[in-house]
Amino acid sequence: QVQLVESGGGLVQAGGSLRLSCAASGRTFSSYAMGWFRQAPGKEREFVAAISWSGGSANYADSVKGRFTVSRDNAKNSVYLQMNSLKPEDTAVYYCAADYLGRAVPERWRYEHWGQGTQVTVSS
């Protein structure tokens, strides 16, 4: 079992940057692939980025490629999402998720554990 807590959300102007963090409890964090998803009002939760257990591979949604970077620090039980060149359409609640022995895939149903989310608002 792993518990996830996101932080780092906030209000930023278009073109700005934010760095989201997700802290995980438990001693098996390195056994999990980690994903970031987001949900805007009235829309379904969608995949943003994912990273393998080792950090050796990452996967991104087309809408964020070249702007967002996912990383992790297994020694700190944490995963991060660096978001640059933010756009108003990036406004959403951002969730981190954990997939035990997973492979950094975009399918939401594969992730067993979810955080409570952190709000990101990008003003135009």
Side-chain angles (χ1 to χ4, degrees):
Q1 186 77 11
V2 62
Q3 293 184 325
L4 306 172
V5 179
E6 302 94 337
S7 62
L11 173 65
V12 64
Q13 287 189 331
S17 298
L18 280 175
R19 188 191 193 213
L20 304 183
S21 299
C22 175
S25 65
R27 289 178 285 182
T28 60
F29 176 71
S30 61
S31 298
Y32 289 84
M34 299 298 295
W36 285 97
F37 292 77
R38 65 188 182 186
Q39 187 166 17
K43 295 187 176 182
E44 289 197 358
R45 194 170 298 187
E46 65 175 6
F47 171 74
V48 176
I51 189 166
S52 63
W53 67 269
S54 67
S57 65
N59 193 3
Y60 296 92
D62 288 343
S63 59
V64 307
K65 275 181 186 175
R67 301 189 297 123
F68 290 11
T69 302
V70 60
S71 62
R72 68 189 295 161
D73 185 339
N74 286 344
K76 295 183 178 180
N77 279 15
S78 293
V79 62
Y80 309 98
L81 185 68
Q82 177 67 43
M83 305 186 295
N84 299 328
S85 302
L86 282 160
K87 305 175 181 180
E89 51 264 43
D90 294 318
T91 295
V93 177
Y94 283 70
Y95 299 88
C96 71
D99 177 12
Y100 185 64
L101 299 180
R103 301 177 68 179
V105 296
E107 289 84 6
R108 190 176 65 191
W109 63 268
R110 292 188 177 271
Y111 292 81
E112 305 98 336
H113 307 287
W114 292 81
Q116 294 300 306
T118 185
Q119 176 70 47
V120 171
T121 304
V122 184
S123 63
S124 57

PDB file of all heavy atoms in Angstrom, residues 86-115:
ATOM      1  N   LEU A  86       3.296  27.321 -19.492  1.00  0.00           N
ATOM      2  CA  LEU A  86       1.923  26.934 -19.170  1.00  0.00           C
ATOM      3  C   LEU A  86       0.905  27.720 -19.980  1.00  0.00           C
ATOM      4  O   LEU A  86       1.109  28.904 -20.299  1.00  0.00           O
ATOM      5  CB  LEU A  86       1.669  27.105 -17.679  1.00  0.00           C
ATOM      6  CG  LEU A  86       2.258  25.980 -16.818  1.00  0.00           C
ATOM      7  CD1 LEU A  86       2.401  26.423 -15.373  1.00  0.00           C
ATOM      8  CD2 LEU A  86       1.405  24.732 -16.911  1.00  0.00           C
ATOM      9  N   LYS A  87      -0.187  27.035 -20.293  1.00  0.00           N
ATOM     10  CA  LYS A  87      -1.264  27.613 -21.086  1.00  0.00           C
ATOM     11  C   LYS A  87      -2.558  27.560 -20.279  1.00  0.00           C
ATOM     12  O   LYS A  87      -2.706  26.701 -19.403  1.00  0.00           O
ATOM     13  CB  LYS A  87      -1.451  26.809 -22.371  1.00  0.00           C
ATOM     14  CG  LYS A  87      -0.205  26.662 -23.212  1.00  0.00           C
ATOM     15  CD  LYS A  87      -0.471  25.748 -24.400  1.00  0.00           C
ATOM     16  CE  LYS A  87       0.780  25.568 -25.251  1.00  0.00           C
ATOM     17  NZ  LYS A  87       0.533  24.670 -26.413  1.00  0.00           N
ATOM     18  N   PRO A  88      -3.510  28.422 -20.586  1.00  0.00           N
ATOM     19  CA  PRO A  88      -4.789  28.355 -19.862  1.00  0.00           C
ATOM     20  C   PRO A  88      -5.447  26.974 -19.944  1.00  0.00           C
ATOM     21  O   PRO A  88      -6.097  26.553 -18.978  1.00  0.00           O
ATOM     22  CB  PRO A  88      -5.633  29.414 -20.577  1.00  0.00           C
ATOM     23  CG  PRO A  88      -4.636  30.414 -21.049  1.00  0.00           C
ATOM     24  CD  PRO A  88      -3.434  29.602 -21.451  1.00  0.00           C
ATOM     25  N   GLU A  89      -5.256  26.273 -21.020  1.00  0.00           N
ATOM     26  CA  GLU A  89      -5.847  24.941 -21.154  1.00  0.00           C
ATOM     27  C   GLU A  89      -5.170  23.891 -20.278  1.00  0.00           C
ATOM     28  O   GLU A  89      -5.646  22.751 -20.202  1.00  0.00           O
ATOM     29  CB  GLU A  89      -5.847  24.478 -22.623  1.00  0.00           C
ATOM     30  CG  GLU A  89      -4.518  24.589 -23.324  1.00  0.00           C
ATOM     31  CD  GLU A  89      -4.384  25.861 -24.132  1.00  0.00           C
ATOM     32  OE1 GLU A  89      -4.782  26.943 -23.638  1.00  0.00           O
ATOM     33  OE2 GLU A  89      -3.866  25.776 -25.271  1.00  0.00           O
ATOM     34  N   ASP A  90      -4.094  24.254 -19.605  1.00  0.00           N
ATOM     35  CA  ASP A  90      -3.481  23.350 -18.631  1.00  0.00           C
ATOM     36  C   ASP A  90      -4.174  23.432 -17.265  1.00  0.00           C
ATOM     37  O   ASP A  90      -3.847  22.664 -16.358  1.00  0.00           O
ATOM     38  CB  ASP A  90      -1.997  23.685 -18.444  1.00  0.00           C
ATOM     39  CG  ASP A  90      -1.177  23.423 -19.689  1.00  0.00           C
ATOM     40  OD1 ASP A  90      -1.397  22.375 -20.338  1.00  0.00           O
ATOM     41  OD2 ASP A  90      -0.307  24.259 -20.008  1.00  0.00           O
ATOM     42  N   THR A  91      -5.101  24.348 -17.127  1.00  0.00           N
ATOM     43  CA  THR A  91      -5.833  24.491 -15.866  1.00  0.00           C
ATOM     44  C   THR A  91      -6.608  23.220 -15.547  1.00  0.00           C
ATOM     45  O   THR A  91      -7.386  22.730 -16.374  1.00  0.00           O
ATOM     46  CB  THR A  91      -6.798  25.687 -15.951  1.00  0.00           C
ATOM     47  OG1 THR A  91      -6.042  26.891 -16.076  1.00  0.00           O
ATOM     48  CG2 THR A  91      -7.673  25.769 -14.706  1.00  0.00           C
ATOM     49  N   ALA A  92      -6.363  22.674 -14.366  1.00  0.00           N
ATOM     50  CA  ALA A  92      -6.985  21.416 -13.961  1.00  0.00           C
ATOM     51  C   ALA A  92      -6.533  21.070 -12.548  1.00  0.00           C
ATOM     52  O   ALA A  92      -5.613  21.698 -12.016  1.00  0.00           O
ATOM     53  CB  ALA A  92      -6.605  20.283 -14.913  1.00  0.00           C
ATOM     54  N   VAL A  93      -7.162  20.063 -11.990  1.00  0.00           N
ATOM     55  CA  VAL A  93      -6.633  19.421 -10.796  1.00  0.00           C
ATOM     56  C   VAL A  93      -5.681  18.330 -11.267  1.00  0.00           C
ATOM     57  O   VAL A  93      -6.043  17.504 -12.114  1.00  0.00           O
ATOM     58  CB  VAL A  93      -7.752  18.822  -9.925  1.00  0.00           C
ATOM     59  CG1 VAL A  93      -7.160  18.092  -8.723  1.00  0.00           C
ATOM     60  CG2 VAL A  93      -8.718  19.908  -9.463  1.00  0.00           C
ATOM     61  N   TYR A  94      -4.485  18.350 -10.714  1.00  0.00           N
ATOM     62  CA  TYR A  94      -3.453  17.395 -11.113  1.00  0.00           C
ATOM     63  C   TYR A  94      -3.309  16.331 -10.034  1.00  0.00           C
ATOM     64  O   TYR A  94      -3.185  16.655  -8.845  1.00  0.00           O
ATOM     65  CB  TYR A  94      -2.125  18.110 -11.338  1.00  0.00           C
ATOM     66  CG  TYR A  94      -2.077  18.838 -12.658  1.00  0.00           C
ATOM     67  CD1 TYR A  94      -2.836  19.979 -12.874  1.00  0.00           C
ATOM     68  CD2 TYR A  94      -1.287  18.370 -13.710  1.00  0.00           C
ATOM     69  CE1 TYR A  94      -2.821  20.638 -14.090  1.00  0.00           C
ATOM     70  CE2 TYR A  94      -1.259  19.017 -14.923  1.00  0.00           C
ATOM     71  CZ  TYR A  94      -2.034  20.155 -15.111  1.00  0.00           C
ATOM     72  OH  TYR A  94      -2.009  20.814 -16.327  1.00  0.00           O
ATOM     73  N   TYR A  95      -3.294  15.073 -10.475  1.00  0.00           N
ATOM     74  CA  TYR A  95      -3.207  13.937  -9.577  1.00  0.00           C
ATOM     75  C   TYR A  95      -1.959  13.119  -9.891  1.00  0.00           C
ATOM     76  O   TYR A  95      -1.629  12.912 -11.067  1.00  0.00           O
ATOM     77  CB  TYR A  95      -4.406  13.017  -9.757  1.00  0.00           C
ATOM     78  CG  TYR A  95      -5.742  13.651  -9.471  1.00  0.00           C
ATOM     79  CD1 TYR A  95      -6.446  14.316 -10.468  1.00  0.00           C
ATOM     80  CD2 TYR A  95      -6.315  13.559  -8.203  1.00  0.00           C
ATOM     81  CE1 TYR A  95      -7.682  14.893 -10.213  1.00  0.00           C
ATOM     82  CE2 TYR A  95      -7.547  14.127  -7.938  1.00  0.00           C
ATOM     83  CZ  TYR A  95      -8.217  14.792  -8.945  1.00  0.00           C
ATOM     84  OH  TYR A  95      -9.445  15.348  -8.684  1.00  0.00           O
ATOM     85  N   CYS A  96      -1.296  12.635  -8.851  1.00  0.00           N
ATOM     86  CA  CYS A  96      -0.279  11.624  -9.098  1.00  0.00           C
ATOM     87  C   CYS A  96      -0.869  10.259  -8.766  1.00  0.00           C
ATOM     88  O   CYS A  96      -1.823  10.148  -7.974  1.00  0.00           O
ATOM     89  CB  CYS A  96       1.010  11.886  -8.338  1.00  0.00           C
ATOM     90  SG  CYS A  96       0.940  11.627  -6.562  1.00  0.00           S
ATOM     91  N   ALA A  97      -0.315   9.239  -9.383  1.00  0.00           N
ATOM     92  CA  ALA A  97      -0.840   7.893  -9.250  1.00  0.00           C
ATOM     93  C   ALA A  97       0.307   6.893  -9.310  1.00  0.00           C
ATOM     94  O   ALA A  97       1.342   7.159  -9.925  1.00  0.00           O
ATOM     95  CB  ALA A  97      -1.847   7.605 -10.355  1.00  0.00           C
ATOM     96  N   ALA A  98       0.098   5.742  -8.678  1.00  0.00           N
ATOM     97  CA  ALA A  98       1.145   4.719  -8.593  1.00  0.00           C
ATOM     98  C   ALA A  98       0.654   3.400  -9.177  1.00  0.00           C
ATOM     99  O   ALA A  98      -0.479   2.976  -8.902  1.00  0.00           O
ATOM    100  CB  ALA A  98       1.557   4.526  -7.135  1.00  0.00           C
ATOM    101  N   ASP A  99       1.505   2.781  -9.953  1.00  0.00           N
ATOM    102  CA  ASP A  99       1.209   1.516 -10.624  1.00  0.00           C
ATOM    103  C   ASP A  99       2.283   0.507 -10.222  1.00  0.00           C
ATOM    104  O   ASP A  99       3.421   0.590 -10.692  1.00  0.00           O
ATOM    105  CB  ASP A  99       1.197   1.746 -12.141  1.00  0.00           C
ATOM    106  CG  ASP A  99       0.970   0.480 -12.934  1.00  0.00           C
ATOM    107  OD1 ASP A  99       0.594  -0.550 -12.341  1.00  0.00           O
ATOM    108  OD2 ASP A  99       1.166   0.513 -14.170  1.00  0.00           O
ATOM    109  N   TYR A 100       1.896  -0.451  -9.376  1.00  0.00           N
ATOM    110  CA  TYR A 100       2.855  -1.423  -8.847  1.00  0.00           C
ATOM    111  C   TYR A 100       3.443  -2.268  -9.957  1.00  0.00           C
ATOM    112  O   TYR A 100       2.707  -2.873 -10.747  1.00  0.00           O
ATOM    113  CB  TYR A 100       2.167  -2.308  -7.809  1.00  0.00           C
ATOM    114  CG  TYR A 100       3.088  -3.277  -7.117  1.00  0.00           C
ATOM    115  CD1 TYR A 100       4.134  -2.810  -6.321  1.00  0.00           C
ATOM    116  CD2 TYR A 100       2.913  -4.648  -7.248  1.00  0.00           C
ATOM    117  CE1 TYR A 100       4.984  -3.688  -5.679  1.00  0.00           C
ATOM    118  CE2 TYR A 100       3.758  -5.530  -6.613  1.00  0.00           C
ATOM    119  CZ  TYR A 100       4.792  -5.048  -5.823  1.00  0.00           C
ATOM    120  OH  TYR A 100       5.637  -5.913  -5.187  1.00  0.00           O
ATOM    121  N   LEU A 101       4.740  -2.266 -10.053  1.00  0.00           N
ATOM    122  CA  LEU A 101       5.492  -3.007 -11.072  1.00  0.00           C
ATOM    123  C   LEU A 101       5.051  -2.610 -12.482  1.00  0.00           C
ATOM    124  O   LEU A 101       5.126  -3.419 -13.412  1.00  0.00           O
ATOM    125  CB  LEU A 101       5.346  -4.516 -10.862  1.00  0.00           C
ATOM    126  CG  LEU A 101       5.872  -5.043  -9.524  1.00  0.00           C
ATOM    127  CD1 LEU A 101       5.673  -6.561  -9.440  1.00  0.00           C
ATOM    128  CD2 LEU A 101       7.331  -4.681  -9.323  1.00  0.00           C
ATOM    129  N   GLY A 102       4.585  -1.394 -12.615  1.00  0.00           N
ATOM    130  CA  GLY A 102       4.071  -0.925 -13.895  1.00  0.00           C
ATOM    131  C   GLY A 102       5.152  -0.440 -14.837  1.00  0.00           C
ATOM    132  O   GLY A 102       6.350  -0.487 -14.532  1.00  0.00           O
ATOM    133  N   ARG A 103       4.709   0.054 -15.999  1.00  0.00           N
ATOM    134  CA  ARG A 103       5.627   0.405 -17.070  1.00  0.00           C
ATOM    135  C   ARG A 103       5.402   1.798 -17.624  1.00  0.00           C
ATOM    136  O   ARG A 103       5.636   2.046 -18.798  1.00  0.00           O
ATOM    137  CB  ARG A 103       5.512  -0.643 -18.185  1.00  0.00           C
ATOM    138  CG  ARG A 103       5.818  -2.044 -17.698  1.00  0.00           C
ATOM    139  CD  ARG A 103       5.645  -3.084 -18.781  1.00  0.00           C
ATOM    140  NE  ARG A 103       6.652  -2.937 -19.823  1.00  0.00           N
ATOM    141  CZ  ARG A 103       6.733  -3.732 -20.880  1.00  0.00           C
ATOM    142  NH1 ARG A 103       5.864  -4.704 -21.039  1.00  0.00           N
ATOM    143  NH2 ARG A 103       7.670  -3.551 -21.797  1.00  0.00           N
ATOM    144  N   ALA A 104       4.932   2.712 -16.783  1.00  0.00           N
ATOM    145  CA  ALA A 104       4.793   4.119 -17.203  1.00  0.00           C
ATOM    146  C   ALA A 104       3.860   4.251 -18.399  1.00  0.00           C
ATOM    147  O   ALA A 104       4.211   4.865 -19.412  1.00  0.00           O
ATOM    148  CB  ALA A 104       6.163   4.718 -17.528  1.00  0.00           C
ATOM    149  N   VAL A 105       2.694   3.683 -18.289  1.00  0.00           N
ATOM    150  CA  VAL A 105       1.727   3.680 -19.382  1.00  0.00           C
ATOM    151  C   VAL A 105       0.656   4.734 -19.135  1.00  0.00           C
ATOM    152  O   VAL A 105       0.470   5.190 -18.018  1.00  0.00           O
ATOM    153  CB  VAL A 105       1.076   2.293 -19.516  1.00  0.00           C
ATOM    154  CG1 VAL A 105       2.127   1.265 -19.894  1.00  0.00           C
ATOM    155  CG2 VAL A 105       0.382   1.892 -18.214  1.00  0.00           C
ATOM    156  N   PRO A 106      -0.051   5.133 -20.178  1.00  0.00           N
ATOM    157  CA  PRO A 106      -1.058   6.179 -20.023  1.00  0.00           C
ATOM    158  C   PRO A 106      -2.440   5.709 -19.568  1.00  0.00           C
ATOM    159  O   PRO A 106      -3.292   6.554 -19.284  1.00  0.00           O
ATOM    160  CB  PRO A 106      -1.152   6.769 -21.431  1.00  0.00           C
ATOM    161  CG  PRO A 106      -0.794   5.639 -22.336  1.00  0.00           C
ATOM    162  CD  PRO A 106       0.223   4.839 -21.588  1.00  0.00           C
ATOM    163  N   GLU A 107      -2.666   4.412 -19.496  1.00  0.00           N
ATOM    164  CA  GLU A 107      -4.003   3.915 -19.175  1.00  0.00           C
ATOM    165  C   GLU A 107      -4.327   4.148 -17.718  1.00  0.00           C
ATOM    166  O   GLU A 107      -3.687   3.589 -16.823  1.00  0.00           O
ATOM    167  CB  GLU A 107      -4.117   2.418 -19.507  1.00  0.00           C
ATOM    168  CG  GLU A 107      -4.128   2.119 -20.989  1.00  0.00           C
ATOM    169  CD  GLU A 107      -2.722   2.038 -21.582  1.00  0.00           C
ATOM    170  OE1 GLU A 107      -1.750   2.095 -20.805  1.00  0.00           O
ATOM    171  OE2 GLU A 107      -2.610   1.921 -22.814  1.00  0.00           O
ATOM    172  N   ARG A 108      -5.326   4.915 -17.451  1.00  0.00           N
ATOM    173  CA  ARG A 108      -5.692   5.298 -16.084  1.00  0.00           C
ATOM    174  C   ARG A 108      -6.011   4.097 -15.216  1.00  0.00           C
ATOM    175  O   ARG A 108      -5.670   4.061 -14.023  1.00  0.00           O
ATOM    176  CB  ARG A 108      -6.888   6.252 -16.161  1.00  0.00           C
ATOM    177  CG  ARG A 108      -7.261   6.940 -14.880  1.00  0.00           C
ATOM    178  CD  ARG A 108      -8.383   7.919 -15.147  1.00  0.00           C
ATOM    179  NE  ARG A 108      -9.608   7.265 -15.559  1.00  0.00           N
ATOM    180  CZ  ARG A 108     -10.664   7.892 -16.046  1.00  0.00           C
ATOM    181  NH1 ARG A 108     -10.630   9.207 -16.228  1.00  0.00           N
ATOM    182  NH2 ARG A 108     -11.738   7.233 -16.384  1.00  0.00           N
ATOM    183  N   TRP A 109      -6.660   3.078 -15.789  1.00  0.00           N
ATOM    184  CA  TRP A 109      -7.130   1.950 -14.993  1.00  0.00           C
ATOM    185  C   TRP A 109      -5.996   1.115 -14.413  1.00  0.00           C
ATOM    186  O   TRP A 109      -6.209   0.337 -13.480  1.00  0.00           O
ATOM    187  CB  TRP A 109      -8.059   1.065 -15.836  1.00  0.00           C
ATOM    188  CG  TRP A 109      -7.420   0.429 -17.035  1.00  0.00           C
ATOM    189  CD1 TRP A 109      -7.374   0.923 -18.300  1.00  0.00           C
ATOM    190  CD2 TRP A 109      -6.727  -0.826 -17.075  1.00  0.00           C
ATOM    191  NE1 TRP A 109      -6.698   0.066 -19.129  1.00  0.00           N
ATOM    192  CE2 TRP A 109      -6.300  -1.023 -18.421  1.00  0.00           C
ATOM    193  CE3 TRP A 109      -6.431  -1.807 -16.129  1.00  0.00           C
ATOM    194  CZ2 TRP A 109      -5.591  -2.152 -18.819  1.00  0.00           C
ATOM    195  CZ3 TRP A 109      -5.728  -2.940 -16.532  1.00  0.00           C
ATOM    196  CH2 TRP A 109      -5.313  -3.089 -17.870  1.00  0.00           C
ATOM    197  N   ARG A 110      -4.783   1.288 -14.939  1.00  0.00           N
ATOM    198  CA  ARG A 110      -3.660   0.497 -14.450  1.00  0.00           C
ATOM    199  C   ARG A 110      -3.125   0.980 -13.108  1.00  0.00           C
ATOM    200  O   ARG A 110      -2.380   0.275 -12.441  1.00  0.00           O
ATOM    201  CB  ARG A 110      -2.529   0.500 -15.471  1.00  0.00           C
ATOM    202  CG  ARG A 110      -2.863  -0.260 -16.756  1.00  0.00           C
ATOM    203  CD  ARG A 110      -1.654  -0.384 -17.637  1.00  0.00           C
ATOM    204  NE  ARG A 110      -1.933  -1.167 -18.837  1.00  0.00           N
ATOM    205  CZ  ARG A 110      -1.795  -2.480 -18.922  1.00  0.00           C
ATOM    206  NH1 ARG A 110      -1.408  -3.169 -17.874  1.00  0.00           N
ATOM    207  NH2 ARG A 110      -2.054  -3.098 -20.055  1.00  0.00           N
ATOM    208  N   TYR A 111      -3.478   2.186 -12.711  1.00  0.00           N
ATOM    209  CA  TYR A 111      -2.908   2.802 -11.516  1.00  0.00           C
ATOM    210  C   TYR A 111      -3.795   2.509 -10.310  1.00  0.00           C
ATOM    211  O   TYR A 111      -4.972   2.867 -10.284  1.00  0.00           O
ATOM    212  CB  TYR A 111      -2.729   4.304 -11.724  1.00  0.00           C
ATOM    213  CG  TYR A 111      -1.674   4.612 -12.749  1.00  0.00           C
ATOM    214  CD1 TYR A 111      -1.963   4.559 -14.110  1.00  0.00           C
ATOM    215  CD2 TYR A 111      -0.369   4.916 -12.367  1.00  0.00           C
ATOM    216  CE1 TYR A 111      -0.986   4.799 -15.070  1.00  0.00           C
ATOM    217  CE2 TYR A 111       0.611   5.173 -13.310  1.00  0.00           C
ATOM    218  CZ  TYR A 111       0.293   5.108 -14.663  1.00  0.00           C
ATOM    219  OH  TYR A 111       1.270   5.343 -15.605  1.00  0.00           O
ATOM    220  N   GLU A 112      -3.210   1.866  -9.312  1.00  0.00           N
ATOM    221  CA  GLU A 112      -3.985   1.395  -8.164  1.00  0.00           C
ATOM    222  C   GLU A 112      -4.151   2.445  -7.076  1.00  0.00           C
ATOM    223  O   GLU A 112      -5.097   2.377  -6.289  1.00  0.00           O
ATOM    224  CB  GLU A 112      -3.314   0.163  -7.526  1.00  0.00           C
ATOM    225  CG  GLU A 112      -3.057  -0.996  -8.470  1.00  0.00           C
ATOM    226  CD  GLU A 112      -1.636  -1.036  -8.995  1.00  0.00           C
ATOM    227  OE1 GLU A 112      -0.971   0.028  -9.014  1.00  0.00           O
ATOM    228  OE2 GLU A 112      -1.188  -2.108  -9.388  1.00  0.00           O
ATOM    229  N   HIS A 113      -3.198   3.361  -6.981  1.00  0.00           N
ATOM    230  CA  HIS A 113      -3.204   4.306  -5.884  1.00  0.00           C
ATOM    231  C   HIS A 113      -3.182   5.734  -6.422  1.00  0.00           C
ATOM    232  O   HIS A 113      -2.441   6.023  -7.368  1.00  0.00           O
ATOM    233  CB  HIS A 113      -1.981   4.086  -4.981  1.00  0.00           C
ATOM    234  CG  HIS A 113      -1.834   2.678  -4.512  1.00  0.00           C
ATOM    235  ND1 HIS A 113      -2.665   2.127  -3.560  1.00  0.00           N
ATOM    236  CD2 HIS A 113      -0.973   1.699  -4.887  1.00  0.00           C
ATOM    237  CE1 HIS A 113      -2.308   0.872  -3.359  1.00  0.00           C
ATOM    238  NE2 HIS A 113      -1.295   0.586  -4.148  1.00  0.00           N
ATOM    239  N   TRP A 114      -3.961   6.593  -5.778  1.00  0.00           N
ATOM    240  CA  TRP A 114      -4.117   7.966  -6.252  1.00  0.00           C
ATOM    241  C   TRP A 114      -4.012   8.947  -5.086  1.00  0.00           C
ATOM    242  O   TRP A 114      -4.433   8.648  -3.973  1.00  0.00           O
ATOM    243  CB  TRP A 114      -5.496   8.145  -6.915  1.00  0.00           C
ATOM    244  CG  TRP A 114      -5.638   7.385  -8.184  1.00  0.00           C
ATOM    245  CD1 TRP A 114      -5.933   6.056  -8.326  1.00  0.00           C
ATOM    246  CD2 TRP A 114      -5.466   7.903  -9.502  1.00  0.00           C
ATOM    247  NE1 TRP A 114      -5.952   5.723  -9.654  1.00  0.00           N
ATOM    248  CE2 TRP A 114      -5.671   6.835 -10.402  1.00  0.00           C
ATOM    249  CE3 TRP A 114      -5.163   9.167 -10.023  1.00  0.00           C
ATOM    250  CZ2 TRP A 114      -5.576   6.998 -11.794  1.00  0.00           C
ATOM    251  CZ3 TRP A 114      -5.078   9.329 -11.395  1.00  0.00           C
ATOM    252  CH2 TRP A 114      -5.285   8.257 -12.256  1.00  0.00           C
ATOM    253  N   GLY A 115      -3.455  10.120  -5.404  1.00  0.00           N
ATOM    254  CA  GLY A 115      -3.469  11.193  -4.431  1.00  0.00           C
ATOM    255  C   GLY A 115      -4.762  11.975  -4.501  1.00  0.00           C
ATOM    256  O   GLY A 115      -5.657  11.657  -5.304  1.00  0.00           O
TER     257      GLY A 115
END
